[in-house]
Amino acid sequence: MEIGQRRRAFGRGAAGWATDVAEGRLFRTREDDAPTLGGESGCGGRRLPAAALAHDQIAPSAPSVPLRKTPHWRDRLSQRLSSLDLAPDLGRGIGSPRWLRGVGTLIGLSSAAIAFWPAFGPLEAAPVRLTEAERDSYRSQTITPLALGADTGSRMGATALVRPLAAAPERPRIELVATLAAGDSFERMLRRAGVGAGDAQRIVTLVGGAMPLSDIEAGTQVDIVLGRRSGADSPRPLEELRFRARFDLELAVGRTDGNALALSREAIRVDDTPLRIRGTIGSSLYRSARAAGAPASAVQAYLKALGEQIDVTSDLAANDTFDIILAHRRAATGERQAGQLLYAGIERGDKPRVQLMRWGNANNGANNGEGRFFEASGVGEQRSGLVAPVPGPMSSSFGMRRHPILGYKRMHSGVDFRARSGTPIVAVTDGQVTGAGRMGGCGQAVRLRHGGGMDTRYCHMSRIAVSAGQSVRRGQVIGYVGSTGLSTGPHLHYEMYRSGRAIDPASVRFVTRAQLTGAELARFRETLAKLKTVGPGAALAALEPTATERAAAAPVREIDRLEAPKPVQAP
């Protein structure tokens, strides 16, 4: 019976099993389960041994049924959020409810990001309780000393015991240097430096009486000393002004005993000994001359002068000696100034091969060479060939052609050069202007007469730069390209005549040479001989000071520098 109850308990499952356990029907002691002889009443009967079951006679337990787990609230929330489309693609379905929901999400997230933007305000430290004495000590050694120019806080700043001045004191004198800029006037430069209007006008009058103000070169530095002002609103009076007006002249303006401005001139001793540079040509004439100390501009002028006489690429040998003489000035104050090329020579085997010396004044307009280079024999530099009148290609040649405007064939008595309007036109060689103005179909034109019965004419100019009777040199600008007269566009029509007859300009090459004669040739040879006596590097030596210069350069004692106070100019 007990076995059946156990089987029924197993069959009922976990609930029935638990009930039987609670009521004590499943588990009993062996003594309770053992049968007794004499009946169930047990009256006088003895207990029988308990029955034992084999392992295979035990009924198997019922399989466990898994309990159904209730979903957690986090899982439910995650499932619900995953079903929502909070970040749709805003590039699709524009204007739809799904798109509007995405825009709302974007605005909300952006607002939240802006709302939680961190602040950059200063962080407040814990309050520190200091006494007034400690506070003054800290304040005087923190930022104030740095503002006063100290490197560290060792310099004490102003405390409450320091009384500020009612007005800052001014310097009794101010020394400054003013520079004359290009295009600026001398008076404006003085006014910018702080010189009063009355003093500036007086200085301009004094300096202008000594030299033209236009001759003062841009970049000239002027030393100015201003004195103590008489009032807070009045300008400082000028005490002294000094500047280098020319290489050999220094001007100074100062106060007299009567408190008036006066000009003083201080002449500077200048030596004009030319600078001579000699050396071996070697592998490169330019590099050798530069290595010997010749300025770059002087070497270029030297090569240009030689190029008019010889071929510098093939007629020179490595062992030849170059000889360069430059105009040179050295002042007693130590300044030096190099000028133009005076002499260009080449020697081979201690014998002069080329000797060229500059002769004539380039600004006098005479026909004596106008600053050309002449050989030692008095023959001027040879200028071979014609220069192109304009830097442009030839568009039409000499000969018969159909006229572009008239429409029929006629003689084209010149050549045309293509060039832009306003391009400078130069003389092909030296000559004299015989005509300048309007010349029929040529429009604005210039006619030049050269030696040997040769004439040239330049047509269709927009503007003429010479006048009739004027002498012009090779390469000088005589006008500008235009399209006046019978012309279809800007160009130059260039004609050449021999004894009044038109010839092809491309078939002619001019050779011009000047010749010195008579007294001028004698002066030329005398100057050349004197110039060649200058020793190489002689101009580089320092000038010996005179007795007056030695006295002026003697050191002055400090006690001798003291001067009586000068009266302040009344406003």
Side-chain angles (χ1 to χ4, degrees):
M1 178 178 180
E2 296 296 335
I3 296 174
Q5 291 177 353
R6 294 177 182 177
R7 289 181 178 178
R8 287 195 298 270
F10 281 113
R12 290 197 304 267
W17 179 276
T19 303
D20 293 342
V21 171
E23 295 177 355
R25 293 195 297 266
L26 292 181
F27 300 98
R28 296 180 180 178
T29 60
R30 292 182 181 271
E31 289 78 7
D32 296 337
D33 294 338
T36 57
L37 294 176
E40 296 180 359
S41 61
C43 296
R46 59 184 182 88
R47 190 174 297 275
L48 296 177
L53 295 177
H55 184 273
D56 55 354
Q57 294 177 345
I58 299 175
S61 61
S64 61
V65 179
L67 299 178
R68 183 177 180 182
K69 185 178 179 180
T70 304
H72 195 268
W73 64 272
R74 295 180 180 175
D75 299 335
R76 294 196 299 271
L77 180 61
S78 176
Q79 293 176 0
R80 181 167 296 181
L81 292 178
S82 62
S83 62
L84 297 178
D85 191 7
L86 296 178
D89 186 4
L90 297 180
R92 302 175 59 184
I94 298 176
S96 63
R98 180 173 176 270
W99 182 84
L100 294 175
R101 184 173 65 253
V103 172
T105 303
L106 175 63
I107 296 175
L109 294 177
S110 301
S111 302
I114 296 174
F116 289 101
W117 188 272
F120 294 96
L123 298 178
E124 297 183 0
V128 180
R129 301 183 182 277
L130 300 175
T131 63
E132 289 300 327
E134 293 174 342
R135 191 181 300 276
D136 290 341
S137 178
Y138 277 112
R139 185 185 300 112
S140 63
Q141 297 191 30
T142 52
I143 193 63
T144 305
L146 299 178
L148 296 176
D151 295 333
T152 63
S154 60
R155 177 174 176 176
M156 300 294 291
T159 62
L161 299 177
V162 177
R163 291 179 299 176
L165 296 174
E170 291 185 344
R171 295 180 181 179
R173 299 178 64 189
I174 295 181
E175 299 180 2
L176 51 92
V177 177
T179 304
L180 181 63
D184 198 3
S185 67
F186 198 76
E187 183 177 0
R188 285 199 301 266
M189 181 266 296
L190 295 176
R191 294 298 304 275
R192 284 197 307 270
V195 181
D199 289 346
Q201 293 178 0
R202 178 59 178 165
I203 293 171
V204 169
T205 302
L206 294 174
V207 175
M211 62 175 298
L213 295 178
S214 59
D215 292 346
I216 303 177
E217 298 181 357
T220 301
Q221 294 185 343
V222 182
D223 297 329
I224 301 175
V225 180
L226 301 177
R228 187 190 299 273
R229 69 179 77 216
S230 58
D233 298 333
S234 60
R236 289 179 176 270
L238 178 73
E239 287 191 0
E240 186 181 3
L241 180 143
R242 185 179 298 271
F243 69 99
R244 191 74 167 264
R246 294 196 304 265
F247 190 76
D248 57 349
L249 177 64
E250 186 175 65
L251 297 180
V253 178
R255 295 282 177 180
T256 61
D257 296 338
N259 201 28
L261 293 176
L263 178 70
S264 61
R265 299 175 178 86
E266 299 180 8
I268 301 174
R269 187 166 58 95
V270 175
D271 179 68
D272 295 330
T273 302
L275 175 62
R276 189 173 187 178
I277 303 173
R278 292 172 56 89
T280 305
I281 292 178
S283 59
S284 173
L285 175 56
Y286 181 85
R287 293 180 180 178
S288 300
R290 292 286 288 140
S297 58
V299 177
Q300 293 174 0
Y302 174 77
L303 294 176
K304 182 179 179 181
L306 290 182
E308 298 291 345
Q309 298 292 326
I310 61 175
D311 188 355
V312 294
T313 60
S314 59
D315 294 347
L316 298 178
N319 56 353
D320 290 346
T321 302
F322 63 86
D323 195 356
I324 302 175
I325 301 179
L326 308 175
H328 184 268
R329 307 178 74 190
R330 49 178 175 168
T333 53
E335 293 83 4
R336 299 178 182 273
Q337 187 180 67
Q340 63 180 355
L341 179 68
L342 300 179
Y343 176 82
I346 293 292
E347 295 182 3
R348 177 174 296 176
D350 296 333
K351 294 182 179 180
R353 186 171 184 270
V354 177
Q355 297 184 86
L356 299 175
M357 189 184 74
R358 186 183 298 273
W359 185 256
N361 186 0
N363 299 322
N364 59 6
N367 292 328
N368 60 351
E370 297 183 353
R372 297 179 179 178
F373 281 95
F374 286 79
E375 297 178 355
S377 59
V379 178
E381 55 184 332
Q382 175 177 326
R383 299 183 176 183
S384 58
L386 299 177
V387 297
V390 291
M394 185 181 299
S395 59
S396 181
S397 59
F398 181 86
M400 295 295 295
R401 68 163 191 176
R402 180 179 297 274
H403 197 279
I405 297 179
L406 301 179
Y408 58 87
K409 285 188 176 183
R410 58 179 293 183
M411 182 65 181
H412 187 228
S413 58
V415 294
D416 292 344
F417 290 91
R418 187 184 300 113
R420 294 184 178 180
S421 180
T423 302
I425 303 173
V426 300
V428 295
T429 189
D430 299 346
Q432 188 175 12
V433 181
T434 58
R438 190 139 191 117
M439 299 182 184
C442 279
Q444 296 285 344
V446 172
R447 181 187 292 271
L448 301 181
R449 175 156 296 172
H450 313 283
M454 301 294 295
D455 293 339
T456 56
R457 188 167 68 160
Y458 311 81
C459 302
H460 307 307
M461 292 185 179
S462 62
R463 185 161 57 95
I464 297 175
V466 293
S467 57
Q470 179 180 348
S471 298
V472 296
R473 296 186 59 189
R474 179 174 183 258
Q476 180 178 341
V477 177
I478 59 176
Y480 300 89
V481 172
S483 184
T484 57
L486 294 178
S487 172
T488 58
H491 72 286
L492 170 65
H493 176 73
Y494 168 58
E495 299 177 348
M496 180 174 292
Y497 297 87
R498 176 181 293 165
S499 301
R501 181 180 178 182
I503 61 175
D504 187 0
S507 63
V508 178
R509 293 178 59 86
F510 285 166
V511 177
T512 60
R513 298 174 68 92
Q515 179 70 47
L516 299 179
T517 58
E520 187 176 9
L521 178 60
R523 291 195 306 270
F524 171 81
R525 291 177 176 176
E526 180 182 358
T527 304
L528 177 60
K530 183 179 178 180
L531 187 63
K532 296 186 66 175
T533 59
V534 177
L540 299 178
L543 287 176
E544 289 293 333
T546 61
T548 305
E549 294 172 349
R550 290 193 186 94
V556 181
R557 298 180 303 172
E558 290 296 331
I559 192 172
D560 295 335
R561 294 179 183 272
L562 299 178
E563 297 178 355
K566 296 181 179 180
V568 178
Q569 183 181 9

